[in-house]
């Protein structure tokens, strides 16, 4: 008997932006999951002395600027998000959960961008990063089954040990939602892939390549056609434990410039490949360092240099740039985790490069 495939995740959204709540309503994680295009996590244990946990939901709606508390001031997009405030004993912090889907999450912890960060394991191969957030607060960030979970200390002091323990104690609010979300292609989850919302220029990794211009320009390949599309381009559909499940081309409205391929693992880890014809897009080799603290080095790949950047040799997050002899530039970004440190990541780079060479007639954006 052949087992049936895991059903894809489907969630609720509003029909129009004007239907957004003026103030995000308080709703527990279990009931909020139906409104989220990501796995929603709940704390199973609070820090010592904290006895209050209040969660509020920001519902998804089509693009449109409205006066509503909690919506982003930098875009007309209205994606879903969930905010939990934990307090007690004169201390207070907040957790913010969402799918970071307008670009690759910079260094896997964009809210800590520009600050010195340090990783800590939180179980199941995941890591949390500790540092200072964009508001100057003590902060932390982790990606868990694709969900970005950001922490900011709002009042009082919380130790590293308390923050790590809080992340390690996060549990899926609706366990049966996890395999369904992970089975759903990124392009079908992503708000920016589904709506013509304004893009935002943000850092994406150790080397400088901020996401494209403000005007929406991504053209996503239908999920059922991704494998055939990549095969025709000479791009591998699988690498290591990762399988390609979404792909998009980005350009200026008249010509294709770059190809992005999203590869995900069964546990929700991600690597993303960007490819372009040499000189035909916005990748520039050799790359320039961006401002986030990181280690950078040069690695030899069959006589060709690979520029590699990472935050932790053990956990990543890694950023690699190199050139293929057939005349195109490549970049591979990875999320952080116990199996995505320097050596495993370089293995993925070599595997992708080898697969491209074997394809022989690769027509990347040709």
């Amino acid at each position: 008997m052949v087992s049936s495939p895991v059903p894809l995740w489907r969630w609720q959204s509003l029909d129009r932006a004007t239907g957004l709540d003026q103030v995000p309503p308080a709703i527990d994680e279990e009931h909020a999951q139906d409104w989220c295009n990501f796995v929603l996590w709940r704390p199973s244990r609070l820090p010592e002395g904290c006895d209050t946990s209040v969660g509020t939901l920001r519902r998804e709606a089509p693009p449109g600027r409205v006066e509503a508390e909690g919506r982003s001031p930098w875009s007309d997009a209205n994606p879903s998000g969930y905010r939990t405030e934990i307090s007690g004993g004169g201390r207070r912090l907040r957790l913010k959960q969402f799918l970071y889907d307008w670009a690759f999450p910079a260094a896997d912890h964009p809210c800590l961008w520009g600050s010195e960060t340090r990783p800590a394991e939180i179980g199941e191969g995941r890591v949390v990063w500790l540092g200072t957030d964009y508001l100057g607060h003590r902060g932390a960030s982790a990606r868990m089954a694709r969900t970005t979970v950001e922490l900011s200390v709002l009042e009082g002091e919380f130790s590293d040990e308390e923050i790590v323990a809080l992340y390690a104690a996060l549990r899926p609010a609706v366990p049966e939602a996890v395999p369904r979300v992970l089975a759903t292609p990124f392009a079908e989850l992503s708000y920016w892939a589904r709506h013509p919302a304004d893009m935002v220029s943000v850092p994406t990794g150790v080397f400088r390549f901020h996401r494209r211009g403000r005007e929406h320009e991504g053209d996503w390949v239908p999920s059922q056609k991704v494998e055939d599309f990549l095969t025709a381009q000479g791009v591998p559909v699988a690498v290591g434990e990762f399988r390609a499940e979404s792909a998009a081309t980005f350009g200026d409205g008249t010509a294709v410039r770059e190809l992005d391929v999203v590869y995900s693992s069964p546990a929700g880890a991600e690597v993303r490949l960007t490819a372009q014809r040499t000189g035909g897009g916005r990748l520039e080799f050799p790359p320039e360092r961006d401002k986030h603290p990181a280690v950078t080095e040069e690695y030899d790949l069959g006589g060709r240099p690979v520029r590699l950047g990472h935050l932790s040799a053990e956990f990543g997050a890694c950023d690699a740039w190199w050139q293929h002899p057939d005349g195109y530039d490549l970049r591979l970004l990875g999320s952080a985790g116990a199996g995505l440190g320097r050596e495993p990541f370089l293995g993925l780079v070599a595997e992708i490069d080898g697969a491209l060479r074997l394809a022989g007639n690769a027509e990347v954006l040709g």
Side-chain angles (χ1 to χ4, degrees):
M1 178 178 179
V2 178
S3 60
S4 60
V6 175
L8 303 185
W9 180 245
R10 296 292 180 256
W11 62 97
Q12 300 181 60
S13 62
L14 299 172
D15 294 331
R16 58 191 187 282
T18 53
L20 285 167
D21 303 290
Q22 292 298 302
V23 177
I27 179 172
D28 64 67
E29 292 91 345
E30 183 177 358
H31 291 93
Q33 178 65 80
D34 284 341
W35 287 88
C36 297
N37 60 332
F38 54 90
V39 173
L40 189 53
W41 299 82
R42 62 172 181 81
S44 63
R45 185 173 66 251
L46 301 182
E48 185 176 356
C50 292
D51 54 12
T52 303
S53 176
V54 178
T56 55
L57 171 70
R58 186 181 65 212
R59 306 178 204 271
E60 178 182 303
R65 289 190 173 275
V66 295
E67 294 297 326
E69 183 181 314
R71 73 166 306 280
S72 172
W74 46 256
S75 171
D76 62 351
N78 294 302
S80 59
Y82 192 82
R83 185 183 192 276
T84 306
E85 190 162 303
I86 296 170
S87 61
R91 302 192 298 167
R92 185 165 59 98
L93 61 77
R94 68 111 173 99
L95 294 175
K96 187 164 62 174
Q97 302 184 53
F98 56 98
L99 179 67
Y100 192 107
D101 57 346
W102 56 95
F104 191 89
D108 217 39
H109 51 256
C111 69
L112 306 178
W113 182 254
S115 79
E116 293 283 352
T117 56
R118 52 202 182 279
E121 290 190 77
I122 53 175
E124 298 187 23
R126 304 184 184 114
V127 297
V128 59
W129 296 88
L130 307 170
T132 302
D133 70 15
Y134 56 91
L135 297 174
H137 297 164
R138 180 175 174 77
S141 183
R143 272 212 288 173
M144 306 172 62
R146 281 181 166 166
T147 303
T148 293
V149 184
E150 298 178 347
L151 178 149
S152 185
V153 175
L154 305 179
E155 185 179 355
E157 298 290 336
F158 290 85
S159 68
D160 285 359
E161 292 75 18
E162 287 181 301
I163 293 173
V164 172
L166 177 60
Y167 272 90
L170 291 174
R171 299 290 181 269
V174 180
E176 55 268 32
V178 179
R180 294 183 60 188
V181 172
L182 293 180
T184 305
F186 174 85
E188 296 184 28
L189 295 172
S190 170
Y191 184 92
W192 272 260
R194 293 180 286 111
H195 293 285
D198 289 347
M199 303 291 286
V200 183
S201 181
V202 292
T204 54
V206 170
F207 298 109
R208 184 173 295 278
F209 180 70
H210 288 214
R211 182 44 84 200
R212 292 90 179 174
R214 188 166 186 81
E215 184 177 349
H216 187 94
E217 57 177 30
D219 184 10
W220 290 85
V221 178
S223 298
Q224 68 274 18
K225 297 182 178 180
V226 167
E227 291 196 10
D228 289 343
F229 173 81
L230 293 180
T231 299
Q233 292 288 329
V235 176
V237 299
V239 53
E241 66 172 337
F242 297 87
R243 189 163 191 87
E245 39 94 336
S246 297
T249 55
F250 289 84
D252 58 7
T254 59
V256 171
R257 289 183 174 179
E258 301 111 16
L259 166 65
D260 271 11
V261 185
V262 180
Y263 297 85
S264 61
S265 76
E270 179 185 331
V271 294
R272 191 172 300 193
L273 178 70
T274 300
Q276 68 175 40
R277 280 288 172 187
T278 298
R282 285 161 282 203
L283 294 178
E284 293 185 5
F285 190 88
E288 295 182 9
R289 279 276 285 109
D290 217 322
K291 68 177 184 178
H292 194 69
V295 174
T296 59
E297 58 184 295
E298 189 169 293
Y299 170 78
D300 181 77
L301 181 64
R304 289 170 288 132
V306 174
R307 298 295 173 91
L308 175 70
H310 57 79
L311 279 62
S312 162
E314 184 177 2
F315 299 118
C318 294
D319 184 356
W321 296 53
W322 76 104
Q323 291 185 307
H324 193 275
D326 284 352
Y328 43 89
D329 303 319
L330 299 158
R331 183 195 195 185
L332 188 69
L333 282 161
S335 56
L340 276 174
R342 179 186 184 278
E343 295 306 317
F345 188 80
L346 284 172
L348 296 177
V349 169
E351 186 176 341
I352 289 173
D353 188 77
L356 288 167
R357 291 172 67 84
L358 283 175
N361 59 345
E363 293 293 337
V364 176
L365 300 186

